[in-house]
Amino acid sequence: MSDLIIIGYENTEKARQAERRIQDLERQHVVTLTGLAVVTSDANGHTYVDTHDDIPRRAVATSATAGALWGLVIGMLFLMPALGLLGAALGGLAGKLSQSGLDKRFRDRAHELLEPGKAAVVIMTTQLREDQFAAALQPLGGTVLKTSLSQSDEHELAQQLVGRSPQAA
């Protein structure tokens, strides 16, 4: 199972501080990252995503599908204005993600964190020592959103991303 955590901050500087602290926490084995990104919104409300491609992909079968899954999660949360604009295949994946915890309410709350001028850190993790993680980030403040993807949901999404049905795997 993977946890998806979004922490919203008043500015990019705080989000970058949190990002560095999270990377330190991974080195200390407090968190096992499968995705880490800083998402910023400029004064005009344009969204920018800075991901870390150097994070080992441990959550699903292969790094390519894990990377694609991470990209789909980031895209659904911050870059896709409406699911109606998606093609049928991508729409099906987005629909599955919606059933897996990334429902409209969660996406709306994520968007609220990114008012113009604000920033957020987006974390996908397979292991987390919540008490130590929270204690390390508490001094920075922020608004926290959290949801989970089950292993079966991750597996099914990964299979769909590579074009195979889960039953054929």
Side-chain angles (χ1 to χ4, degrees):
M1 182 168 81
S2 288
D3 289 322
L4 177 65
I5 304 166
I6 303 171
I7 309 171
Y9 292 98
E10 291 298 315
N11 57 54
T12 302
E13 181 181 324
K14 283 279 190 193
R16 291 291 179 193
Q17 288 175 354
E19 171 191 39
R20 289 188 295 275
R21 196 160 292 170
I22 291 163
Q23 289 171 316
D24 288 342
L25 292 170
E26 181 173 45
R27 286 188 284 277
Q28 297 167 20
H29 305 288
V30 171
V31 61
T32 301
L33 298 173
T34 55
L36 177 63
V38 174
V39 182
T40 57
S41 179
D42 66 17
N44 297 318
H46 295 111
T47 303
Y48 303 91
V49 179
D50 180 14
T51 61
H52 290 264
D53 294 331
D54 57 338
I55 293 174
R57 308 295 181 180
R58 301 177 189 99
V60 292
T62 67
S63 62
T65 55
L69 178 58
W70 175 239
L72 182 62
V73 167
I74 291 292
M76 266 194 71
L77 287 173
F78 301 107
L79 303 176
M80 294 179 192
L83 293 179
L85 300 176
L86 301 176
L90 195 53
L93 286 170
K96 180 61 183 166
L97 274 174
S98 290
Q99 295 169 10
S100 305
L102 296 181
D103 59 15
K104 182 176 179 352
R105 183 171 176 262
F106 186 86
R107 290 191 317 268
D108 289 346
R109 291 178 64 206
H111 279 278
E112 290 170 8
L113 293 177
L114 276 180
E115 293 175 358
K118 295 189 177 186
V121 178
V122 183
I123 304 137
M124 189 173 279
T125 176
T126 56
Q127 293 181 350
L128 175 68
R129 295 183 187 162
E130 288 193 43
D131 56 340
Q132 292 175 323
F133 187 83
L137 292 173
Q138 189 274 332
L140 297 174
T143 302
V144 179
L145 298 178
K146 182 179 175 186
T147 192
S148 298
L149 295 172
S150 71
Q151 284 183 322
S152 63
D153 287 337
E154 287 179 16
H155 181 72
E156 185 176 340
L157 287 165
Q159 296 304 314
Q160 289 179 18
L161 283 167
V162 296
R164 298 184 309 219
S165 70
Q167 293 79 17

